[in-house]
Amino acid sequence: MQPQVIGQVKNGRPAPRNANKPEERMACDIILVAVGQDIVSGPFAEYGIPVNRGRIVADESGAVKMDGIFAGGECVLGAATVIRAIEGGKVAAANIDEYLGYHHPITCDVNIPEPLLNDKVASGRVNLREAEACSRKQSFEGVELPMSEEEALREGSRCLRCDRHGCGVLRGGRQEIW
């Protein structure tokens, strides 16, 4: 893997560029590639499927204004998160199932633990130290100093399971059926 850094902003988004570091080898079992490509919308438009600015026009159920045609994910939303693309796929799959006259429940084969609201000790964020103003005016170094190893370990141990402890629980949480 070639380490990258944030480059110039293009089309409203920062473009990555290669860092001046050697390639790294990362051991893994599965690789998911998300290349963020645009769809080729011309053939859809020629067929009569509504297209606007390179995206298929569909309502929140994934239905296109043509009988039996559904769309979801980035071809409707444009560039978004994986979670939004998965959501669009699930919604479109459920609506296709209904369109075909079935009513299959969409299930997840993963056991999700029940939320436990009070089982985590509260821990505040690490406050980064700042370089003194008199030394900062002499260089272009960062204002905030890096964390010590102890601070990084403490920050890394903070709970990020928002589905279990965070606003997902307080706002009604997870939906098990779409």
Side-chain angles (χ1 to χ4, degrees), residues 133-163:
C134 60
S135 67
R136 291 193 317 235
K137 72 178 188 177
Q138 303 294 327
S139 73
F140 289 102
E141 295 295 321
V143 172
E144 294 177 333
L145 299 173
M147 292 182 201
S148 68
E149 183 177 349
E150 180 182 351
E151 290 171 326
L153 288 170
R154 191 176 80 192
E155 186 69 11
S157 70
R158 291 177 61 226
C159 179
L160 298 177
R161 293 262 335 258
C162 300
D163 65 319

mmCIF file of all heavy atoms in Angstrom, residues 133-163:
data_model
loop_
_atom_site.group_PDB
_atom_site.id
_atom_site.type_symbol
_atom_site.label_atom_id
_atom_site.label_comp_id
_atom_site.label_asym_id
_atom_site.label_seq_id
_atom_site.Cartn_x
_atom_site.Cartn_y
_atom_site.Cartn_z
ATOM 1 N N ALA A 133 3.725 30.255 21.949
ATOM 2 C CA ALA A 133 3.555 31.215 20.861
ATOM 3 C C ALA A 133 4.894 31.763 20.368
ATOM 4 O O ALA A 133 5.091 31.952 19.159
ATOM 5 C CB ALA A 133 2.651 32.363 21.305
ATOM 6 N N CYS A 134 5.826 32.002 21.278
ATOM 7 C CA CYS A 134 7.118 32.571 20.855
ATOM 8 C C CYS A 134 7.896 31.596 19.966
ATOM 9 O O CYS A 134 8.620 32.026 19.065
ATOM 10 C CB CYS A 134 7.948 33.007 22.060
ATOM 11 S SG CYS A 134 8.329 31.666 23.195
ATOM 12 N N SER A 135 7.750 30.289 20.170
ATOM 13 C CA SER A 135 8.445 29.330 19.303
ATOM 14 C C SER A 135 7.666 29.102 18.001
ATOM 15 O O SER A 135 8.265 28.788 16.976
ATOM 16 C CB SER A 135 8.665 28.009 20.040
ATOM 17 O OG SER A 135 7.430 27.372 20.295
ATOM 18 N N ARG A 136 6.367 29.280 18.050
ATOM 19 C CA ARG A 136 5.550 29.060 16.849
ATOM 20 C C ARG A 136 5.804 30.121 15.793
ATOM 21 O O ARG A 136 5.758 29.828 14.602
ATOM 22 C CB ARG A 136 4.057 29.080 17.198
ATOM 23 C CG ARG A 136 3.621 27.910 18.005
ATOM 24 C CD ARG A 136 2.125 27.767 18.075
ATOM 25 N NE ARG A 136 1.378 28.976 18.298
ATOM 26 C CZ ARG A 136 0.514 29.145 19.292
ATOM 27 N NH1 ARG A 136 0.308 28.190 20.176
ATOM 28 N NH2 ARG A 136 -0.149 30.270 19.415
ATOM 29 N N LYS A 137 6.079 31.327 16.202
ATOM 30 C CA LYS A 137 6.226 32.391 15.211
ATOM 31 C C LYS A 137 7.515 32.263 14.406
ATOM 32 O O LYS A 137 7.684 32.914 13.399
ATOM 33 C CB LYS A 137 6.122 33.768 15.860
ATOM 34 C CG LYS A 137 7.300 34.172 16.691
ATOM 35 C CD LYS A 137 7.075 35.565 17.226
ATOM 36 C CE LYS A 137 8.320 36.089 17.903
ATOM 37 N NZ LYS A 137 8.154 37.443 18.367
ATOM 38 N N GLN A 138 8.407 31.373 14.836
ATOM 39 C CA GLN A 138 9.672 31.170 14.137
ATOM 40 C C GLN A 138 9.633 30.016 13.130
ATOM 41 O O GLN A 138 10.609 29.760 12.453
ATOM 42 C CB GLN A 138 10.789 30.883 15.162
ATOM 43 C CG GLN A 138 10.972 31.955 16.204
ATOM 44 C CD GLN A 138 11.462 33.264 15.606
ATOM 45 O OE1 GLN A 138 12.208 33.272 14.640
ATOM 46 N NE2 GLN A 138 11.015 34.378 16.181
ATOM 47 N N SER A 139 8.498 29.284 13.045
ATOM 48 C CA SER A 139 8.462 28.112 12.169
ATOM 49 C C SER A 139 7.053 27.871 11.639
ATOM 50 O O SER A 139 6.110 28.555 12.018
ATOM 51 C CB SER A 139 8.929 26.868 12.931
ATOM 52 O OG SER A 139 7.932 26.466 13.853
ATOM 53 N N PHE A 140 6.959 26.889 10.774
ATOM 54 C CA PHE A 140 5.669 26.474 10.234
ATOM 55 C C PHE A 140 5.231 25.139 10.838
ATOM 56 O O PHE A 140 4.383 24.449 10.290
ATOM 57 C CB PHE A 140 5.733 26.363 8.706
ATOM 58 C CG PHE A 140 5.818 27.685 8.030
ATOM 59 C CD1 PHE A 140 7.034 28.160 7.547
ATOM 60 C CD2 PHE A 140 4.692 28.485 7.892
ATOM 61 C CE1 PHE A 140 7.119 29.388 6.934
ATOM 62 C CE2 PHE A 140 4.770 29.713 7.283
ATOM 63 C CZ PHE A 140 5.985 30.176 6.794
ATOM 64 N N GLU A 141 5.810 24.763 11.948
ATOM 65 C CA GLU A 141 5.423 23.522 12.626
ATOM 66 C C GLU A 141 4.002 23.668 13.156
ATOM 67 O O GLU A 141 3.495 24.776 13.353
ATOM 68 C CB GLU A 141 6.379 23.244 13.796
ATOM 69 C CG GLU A 141 7.807 22.963 13.372
ATOM 70 C CD GLU A 141 7.933 21.680 12.575
ATOM 71 O OE1 GLU A 141 7.255 20.695 12.911
ATOM 72 O OE2 GLU A 141 8.707 21.673 11.600
ATOM 73 N N GLY A 142 3.373 22.542 13.420
ATOM 74 C CA GLY A 142 2.002 22.560 13.928
ATOM 75 C C GLY A 142 1.900 23.242 15.277
ATOM 76 O O GLY A 142 2.855 23.253 16.061
ATOM 77 N N VAL A 143 0.740 23.804 15.552
ATOM 78 C CA VAL A 143 0.499 24.476 16.822
ATOM 79 C C VAL A 143 0.325 23.443 17.929
ATOM 80 O O VAL A 143 0.876 23.566 19.008
ATOM 81 C CB VAL A 143 -0.744 25.388 16.724
ATOM 82 C CG1 VAL A 143 -1.123 25.943 18.082
ATOM 83 C CG2 VAL A 143 -0.500 26.504 15.731
ATOM 84 N N GLU A 144 -0.468 22.375 17.635
ATOM 85 C CA GLU A 144 -0.722 21.344 18.632
ATOM 86 C C GLU A 144 0.424 20.331 18.629
ATOM 87 O O GLU A 144 0.883 19.890 17.582
ATOM 88 C CB GLU A 144 -2.038 20.628 18.345
ATOM 89 C CG GLU A 144 -3.231 21.547 18.515
ATOM 90 C CD GLU A 144 -4.539 20.861 18.159
ATOM 91 O OE1 GLU A 144 -4.522 19.921 17.336
ATOM 92 O OE2 GLU A 144 -5.571 21.266 18.699
ATOM 93 N N LEU A 145 0.865 19.972 19.825
ATOM 94 C CA LEU A 145 1.928 18.983 19.968
ATOM 95 C C LEU A 145 1.308 17.581 19.937
ATOM 96 O O LEU A 145 0.155 17.401 20.334
ATOM 97 C CB LEU A 145 2.673 19.211 21.285
ATOM 98 C CG LEU A 145 3.358 20.577 21.400
ATOM 99 C CD1 LEU A 145 3.916 20.770 22.804
ATOM 100 C CD2 LEU A 145 4.455 20.712 20.359
ATOM 101 N N PRO A 146 2.047 16.589 19.465
ATOM 102 C CA PRO A 146 1.482 15.233 19.403
ATOM 103 C C PRO A 146 1.240 14.658 20.794
ATOM 104 O O PRO A 146 1.828 15.097 21.781
ATOM 105 C CB PRO A 146 2.547 14.441 18.648
ATOM 106 C CG PRO A 146 3.795 15.232 18.752
ATOM 107 C CD PRO A 146 3.399 16.665 18.936
ATOM 108 N N MET A 147 0.371 13.646 20.843
ATOM 109 C CA MET A 147 0.080 12.969 22.107
ATOM 110 C C MET A 147 1.267 12.121 22.521
ATOM 111 O O MET A 147 1.994 11.603 21.683
ATOM 112 C CB MET A 147 -1.116 12.018 21.942
ATOM 113 C CG MET A 147 -2.424 12.664 21.706
ATOM 114 S SD MET A 147 -3.676 11.362 21.592
ATOM 115 C CE MET A 147 -4.932 12.253 20.728
ATOM 116 N N SER A 148 1.405 11.959 23.820
ATOM 117 C CA SER A 148 2.383 10.997 24.332
ATOM 118 C C SER A 148 1.798 9.597 24.124
ATOM 119 O O SER A 148 0.609 9.445 23.820
ATOM 120 C CB SER A 148 2.634 11.235 25.825
ATOM 121 O OG SER A 148 1.454 10.910 26.558
ATOM 122 N N GLU A 149 2.604 8.569 24.298
ATOM 123 C CA GLU A 149 2.102 7.195 24.137
ATOM 124 C C GLU A 149 0.981 6.921 25.135
ATOM 125 O O GLU A 149 -0.030 6.319 24.799
ATOM 126 C CB GLU A 149 3.237 6.196 24.325
ATOM 127 C CG GLU A 149 2.791 4.759 24.100
ATOM 128 C CD GLU A 149 3.921 3.760 24.216
ATOM 129 O OE1 GLU A 149 5.096 4.168 24.268
ATOM 130 O OE2 GLU A 149 3.615 2.563 24.253
ATOM 131 N N GLU A 150 1.144 7.379 26.360
ATOM 132 C CA GLU A 150 0.123 7.174 27.389
ATOM 133 C C GLU A 150 -1.192 7.860 27.005
ATOM 134 O O GLU A 150 -2.267 7.284 27.147
ATOM 135 C CB GLU A 150 0.630 7.708 28.731
ATOM 136 C CG GLU A 150 -0.350 7.534 29.869
ATOM 137 C CD GLU A 150 0.155 8.126 31.178
ATOM 138 O OE1 GLU A 150 1.338 8.515 31.239
ATOM 139 O OE2 GLU A 150 -0.643 8.207 32.112
ATOM 140 N N GLU A 151 -1.094 9.098 26.506
ATOM 141 C CA GLU A 151 -2.297 9.819 26.090
ATOM 142 C C GLU A 151 -2.979 9.121 24.910
ATOM 143 O O GLU A 151 -4.202 9.014 24.861
ATOM 144 C CB GLU A 151 -1.951 11.252 25.703
ATOM 145 C CG GLU A 151 -1.565 12.132 26.874
ATOM 146 C CD GLU A 151 -1.018 13.485 26.439
ATOM 147 O OE1 GLU A 151 -0.359 13.560 25.385
ATOM 148 O OE2 GLU A 151 -1.262 14.466 27.167
ATOM 149 N N ALA A 152 -2.172 8.645 23.958
ATOM 150 C CA ALA A 152 -2.734 7.945 22.797
ATOM 151 C C ALA A 152 -3.442 6.668 23.224
ATOM 152 O O ALA A 152 -4.522 6.351 22.711
ATOM 153 C CB ALA A 152 -1.639 7.644 21.783
ATOM 154 N N LEU A 153 -2.859 5.927 24.159
ATOM 155 C CA LEU A 153 -3.506 4.709 24.651
ATOM 156 C C LEU A 153 -4.819 5.041 25.356
ATOM 157 O O LEU A 153 -5.820 4.348 25.183
ATOM 158 C CB LEU A 153 -2.568 3.948 25.590
ATOM 159 C CG LEU A 153 -1.382 3.257 24.914
ATOM 160 C CD1 LEU A 153 -0.393 2.749 25.954
ATOM 161 C CD2 LEU A 153 -1.869 2.127 24.028
ATOM 162 N N ARG A 154 -4.810 6.093 26.156
ATOM 163 C CA ARG A 154 -6.036 6.487 26.854
ATOM 164 C C ARG A 154 -7.105 6.924 25.862
ATOM 165 O O ARG A 154 -8.257 6.539 25.960
ATOM 166 C CB ARG A 154 -5.739 7.613 27.852
ATOM 167 C CG ARG A 154 -6.936 7.861 28.779
ATOM 168 C CD ARG A 154 -6.635 8.880 29.816
ATOM 169 N NE ARG A 154 -6.760 10.199 29.184
ATOM 170 C CZ ARG A 154 -6.352 11.322 29.718
ATOM 171 N NH1 ARG A 154 -5.769 11.326 30.881
ATOM 172 N NH2 ARG A 154 -6.514 12.451 29.085
ATOM 173 N N GLU A 155 -6.721 7.717 24.869
ATOM 174 C CA GLU A 155 -7.675 8.183 23.856
ATOM 175 C C GLU A 155 -8.209 6.994 23.048
ATOM 176 O O GLU A 155 -9.392 6.921 22.742
ATOM 177 C CB GLU A 155 -7.006 9.200 22.923
ATOM 178 C CG GLU A 155 -7.923 9.847 21.924
ATOM 179 C CD GLU A 155 -8.943 10.800 22.515
ATOM 180 O OE1 GLU A 155 -8.857 11.157 23.706
ATOM 181 O OE2 GLU A 155 -9.851 11.187 21.764
ATOM 182 N N GLY A 156 -7.314 6.051 22.737
ATOM 183 C CA GLY A 156 -7.720 4.882 21.968
ATOM 184 C C GLY A 156 -8.635 3.948 22.737
ATOM 185 O O GLY A 156 -9.360 3.150 22.144
ATOM 186 N N SER A 157 -8.625 4.012 24.063
ATOM 187 C CA SER A 157 -9.471 3.129 24.861
ATOM 188 C C SER A 157 -10.862 3.711 25.088
ATOM 189 O O SER A 157 -11.709 3.044 25.666
ATOM 190 C CB SER A 157 -8.805 2.830 26.205
ATOM 191 O OG SER A 157 -8.800 3.988 27.023
ATOM 192 N N ARG A 158 -11.081 4.943 24.656
ATOM 193 C CA ARG A 158 -12.407 5.537 24.810
ATOM 194 C C ARG A 158 -13.394 4.765 23.952
ATOM 195 O O ARG A 158 -13.071 4.268 22.888
ATOM 196 C CB ARG A 158 -12.406 7.012 24.382
ATOM 197 C CG ARG A 158 -11.603 7.874 25.338
ATOM 198 C CD ARG A 158 -11.543 9.317 24.891
ATOM 199 N NE ARG A 158 -12.869 9.880 24.834
ATOM 200 C CZ ARG A 158 -13.315 10.616 23.805
ATOM 201 N NH1 ARG A 158 -12.553 10.853 22.784
ATOM 202 N NH2 ARG A 158 -14.527 11.102 23.821
ATOM 203 N N CYS A 159 -14.609 4.688 24.394
ATOM 204 C CA CYS A 159 -15.624 3.903 23.688
ATOM 205 C C CYS A 159 -16.103 4.640 22.448
ATOM 206 O O CYS A 159 -16.480 5.802 22.511
ATOM 207 C CB CYS A 159 -16.811 3.646 24.606
ATOM 208 S SG CYS A 159 -18.091 2.714 23.789
ATOM 209 N N LEU A 160 -16.063 3.964 21.322
ATOM 210 C CA LEU A 160 -16.588 4.525 20.083
ATOM 211 C C LEU A 160 -17.758 3.694 19.562
ATOM 212 O O LEU A 160 -18.155 3.830 18.426
ATOM 213 C CB LEU A 160 -15.485 4.603 19.028
ATOM 214 C CG LEU A 160 -14.318 5.504 19.399
ATOM 215 C CD1 LEU A 160 -13.251 5.452 18.321
ATOM 216 C CD2 LEU A 160 -14.769 6.929 19.621
ATOM 217 N N ARG A 161 -18.316 2.808 20.366
ATOM 218 C CA ARG A 161 -19.448 1.973 19.965
ATOM 219 C C ARG A 161 -20.728 2.772 20.139
ATOM 220 O O ARG A 161 -21.515 2.543 21.052
ATOM 221 C CB ARG A 161 -19.515 0.703 20.819
ATOM 222 C CG ARG A 161 -18.394 -0.263 20.619
ATOM 223 C CD ARG A 161 -18.684 -1.417 19.676
ATOM 224 N NE ARG A 161 -20.046 -1.817 19.495
ATOM 225 C CZ ARG A 161 -20.615 -2.875 20.066
ATOM 226 N NH1 ARG A 161 -19.935 -3.631 20.884
ATOM 227 N NH2 ARG A 161 -21.863 -3.179 19.815
ATOM 228 N N CYS A 162 -20.955 3.706 19.249
ATOM 229 C CA CYS A 162 -22.112 4.584 19.362
ATOM 230 C C CYS A 162 -23.429 3.824 19.277
ATOM 231 O O CYS A 162 -24.441 4.280 19.783
ATOM 232 C CB CYS A 162 -22.058 5.656 18.285
ATOM 233 S SG CYS A 162 -20.593 6.676 18.416
ATOM 234 N N ASP A 163 -23.417 2.649 18.625
ATOM 235 C CA ASP A 163 -24.639 1.865 18.555
ATOM 236 C C ASP A 163 -25.015 1.291 19.916
ATOM 237 O O ASP A 163 -26.152 0.976 20.172
ATOM 238 C CB ASP A 163 -24.479 0.713 17.563
ATOM 239 C CG ASP A 163 -23.423 -0.290 18.013
ATOM 240 O OD1 ASP A 163 -22.372 0.138 18.516
ATOM 241 O OD2 ASP A 163 -23.668 -1.495 17.863
#
